[in-house]
Amino acid sequence: MKAVDIIAKKRDGGELSKEEIEFFIRGYTRGDIPDYQAAAWAMAVYLRGMSHRETIDLTLAMVHSGEILDLHEAAPFVVDKHSTGGVGDKTTIMVAPLVAACGLPVGKMSGRGLGFSGGTLDKLESIRGYKVPLSIEEFLTQLRDHGVVVAGQTADLAPADGKLYALRDVTATVASLPLIASSVMSKKIASGADAIVLDVKVGKGAFMQTIEDAIALARIMVEVGQGVGRQVRAVISDMNQPLGRAVGNALETAEAMEALRGRGPADFVEHCLIVAEQMLILGGKAEDTTTARRILTEALESGRAWDKFVEWVTAQGGDPAVLTDPPDLPRARLIETVPAPRSGYIAGLDARQVGLTAVLLGAGRTKKGDTIDLAVGVVLAAKVGDFVEQGQPLLTIHANDERLLPEARERLLAAYTWSETPVQSPPLVYQIVP
Ligand code: URA
């Protein structure tokens, strides 16, 4: 078998056999197939797509490119969640301790922000001392002793995805259904959780632009997971406008902490509760969403979710002195409030533009390995459906470089569209699959 023949077959719209897919993934992981051939292959897959069967074979080949964790020595049943990536998505920081506080262990390996979409690990690192890289031993110990762990992906799990994702990011081949499905599910299966709730984002600030594509992605990921004996459900959620109000690492961590104290923005809290309900149902802690909601609300209102957050973060190295009210997280030097340029209802708030502006301010990377500024970002005072009077605060820019303020202001104002008449705020969740 030769890599060039496999690339040509896919370029011409052919269907790759299981053996061809395994040969390619094994060869690329080992370094026998170079980046330039993998890049050509990824572009061929991006343009030609993959059949259902090819996508499943690709995912399993990527799972078997490395180790598969067994979490059962730490806990009898472990749940995980994964978002396909969005703007202002700090869901894990609230949901992980909330679900753990309900007696269901949460073991999660997260990623870093790339492009316009943020990453949980960067957000957590705004808590001084929080240790992202854990050995497998440390991961299991934290899970066993505290029932919640969120760490970086170790190099031994799905290494094919580690290599391929970095390559896709710089070859414009990220937004491909089979490549996203195999990337997400290979990591999730290798990380060992018994049940996985997928948060599939759709809209301007997501990789999937249409609900049909998001549902197709969700269906195949659910099927792949179930095919290897995991319980999987997907929540299809809106990402046309950012989730919550804060976009930027420390700003988002602070917002998630506010939510755990019972003071978060309504849309963000509701989204977290919907995801957490599905986790409790899959984990056998509740038969239906009504029961799950009651259990979760009790954990939040009693303060147990907050206490679990403090326990988790401090056990993972976070300095408890920063978990004050308000928290002592990195703060930007310049805080500029931008007033509304007109009166009216907000009809749209382009999540991608907000995410890209946060990157411009330094909150995200334009290429792998860039250093980021944890303090900077944007806080939205008004979102879709809100009525705003001209001159009222529309948003706040948190920056450390005054030279970036004019462009940030201009881009953020352009992200808003307006209406004279009332506008319905978009639904948070479109569907739950299956
Ligand atoms: N998240 C992932 O883990 N992989 C992708 O390909 C896209 C989003």
Side-chain angles (χ1 to χ4, degrees):
M1 234 181 269
K2 291 218 303 277
V4 66
D5 297 334
I6 296 173
I7 300 167
K9 186 168 175 187
K10 188 39 80 183
R11 178 200 64 198
D12 297 339
E15 185 171 352
L16 302 180
S17 69
K18 185 169 190 275
E19 291 70 33
E20 286 167 330
I21 291 172
E22 283 172 353
F23 172 86
F24 204 92
I25 293 301
R26 201 170 39 240
Y28 182 53
T29 311
R30 282 196 199 138
D32 301 340
I33 295 177
D35 271 350
Y36 54 81
Q37 283 190 308
W41 174 85
M43 185 56 82
V45 172
Y46 181 94
L47 295 172
R48 290 294 193 168
M50 274 188 154
S51 69
H52 195 79
R53 200 261 317 139
E54 282 177 297
T55 307
I56 292 175
D57 287 343
L58 175 60
T59 310
L60 296 180
M62 284 166 57
V63 171
H64 292 115
S65 68
E67 281 180 38
I68 303 174
L69 263 187
D70 182 357
L71 303 178
H72 294 129
E73 61 178 88
F77 194 95
V78 179
V79 288
D80 188 358
K81 71 155 282 281
H82 188 86
S83 158
T84 55
V87 179
D89 186 6
K90 67 287 290 176
T91 305
T92 294
I93 303 176
M94 176 165 186
V95 157
L98 173 58
V99 168
C102 299
L104 190 57
V106 179
K108 173 161 173 52
M109 296 200 182
S110 280
R112 298 207 176 266
L114 222 45
F116 63 85
S117 90
T120 303
L121 299 182
D122 298 325
K123 293 168 202 182
L124 286 170
E125 278 182 349
S126 64
I127 299 171
R128 194 168 55 231
Y130 187 88
K131 192 171 166 206
V132 156
L134 294 186
S135 67
I136 290 181
E137 227 19 73
E138 289 170 323
F139 186 91
L140 292 172
T141 304
Q142 166 91 16
L143 183 60
R144 182 172 46 239
D145 296 350
H146 304 284
V148 50
V149 56
V150 180
Q153 177 85 14
T154 76
D156 316 331
L157 302 183
D161 177 58
K163 279 189 87 171
L164 203 51
Y165 192 79
L167 186 77
R168 286 165 57 213
D169 189 49
V170 292
T171 54
T173 51
V174 170
S176 146
L177 193 152
L179 295 178
I180 295 178
S182 54
S183 163
V184 169
M185 289 314 290
S186 61
K187 286 188 283 245
K188 294 290 105 179
I189 293 167
S191 320
D194 301 283
I196 304 151
V197 173
L198 300 165
D199 185 3
V200 178
K201 303 287 186 195
V202 58
K204 291 199 175 82
F207 295 121
M208 292 293 120
Q209 299 287 303
T210 68
I211 295 186
E212 293 70 38
D213 282 351
I215 291 173
L217 175 65
R219 285 220 174 103
I220 193 138
M221 293 198 294
V222 167
E223 191 185 320
V224 171
Q226 290 175 344
V228 293
R230 310 296 168 89
Q231 296 188 43
V232 191
R233 269 197 197 166
V235 175
I236 313 282
S237 68
D238 184 74
M239 190 35 75
N240 282 299
Q241 64 172 340
L243 186 61
R245 297 189 178 275
V247 179
N249 300 292
L251 295 168
E252 291 188 45
T253 300
E255 186 166 82
M257 287 166 73
E258 279 286 290
L260 283 161
R261 290 185 189 271
R263 304 187 299 238
D267 67 331
F268 170 61
V269 173
E270 180 60 21
H271 173 78
C272 288
L273 289 170
I274 292 170
V275 171
E277 280 168 8
Q278 295 303 322
M279 292 167 81
L280 288 197
I281 292 170
L282 289 188
K285 294 282 175 196
E287 312 80 70
D288 53 31
T289 52
T290 313
T291 318
R293 179 67 62 121
R294 189 175 38 71
I295 297 170
L296 292 162
T297 308
E298 200 277 320
L300 262 180
E301 288 176 356
S302 64
R304 281 191 296 114
W306 170 259
D307 292 345
K308 187 49 98 174
F309 169 80
V310 174
E311 179 191 340
W312 154 41
V313 164
T314 49
Q316 237 180 287
D319 181 352
V322 309
L323 307 181
T324 42
D325 190 11
D328 181 15
L329 299 177
R331 234 167 273 156
R333 203 165 43 79
L334 307 160
I335 299 179
E336 183 188 287
T337 299
V338 178
R342 53 164 285 179
S343 300
Y345 294 92
I346 294 169
L349 172 50
D350 188 325
R352 184 172 298 237
Q353 286 312 319
V354 178
L356 288 171
T357 310
V359 174
L360 168 82
L361 291 167
R365 300 175 184 78
T366 46
K367 58 183 190 315
K368 218 173 182 273
D370 279 355
T371 49
I372 58 171
D373 186 339
L374 295 171
V376 299
V378 180
V379 179
L380 307 161
K383 295 187 59 184
V384 176
D386 291 345
F387 179 81
V388 190
E389 293 279 5
Q390 183 175 14
Q392 265 184 0
L394 187 62
L395 57 97
T396 316
I397 303 174
H398 294 241
N400 275 324
D401 183 345
E402 41 276 276
R403 288 167 306 178
L404 298 172
L405 282 172
E407 188 181 342
R409 199 183 305 125
E410 192 182 320
R411 282 201 193 188
L412 289 165
L413 285 172
Y416 280 87
T417 48
W418 298 83
S419 164
E420 299 287 342
T421 51
V423 174
Q424 189 87 27
S425 53
L428 284 171
V429 166
Y430 295 100
Q431 200 173 318
I432 295 187
V433 177

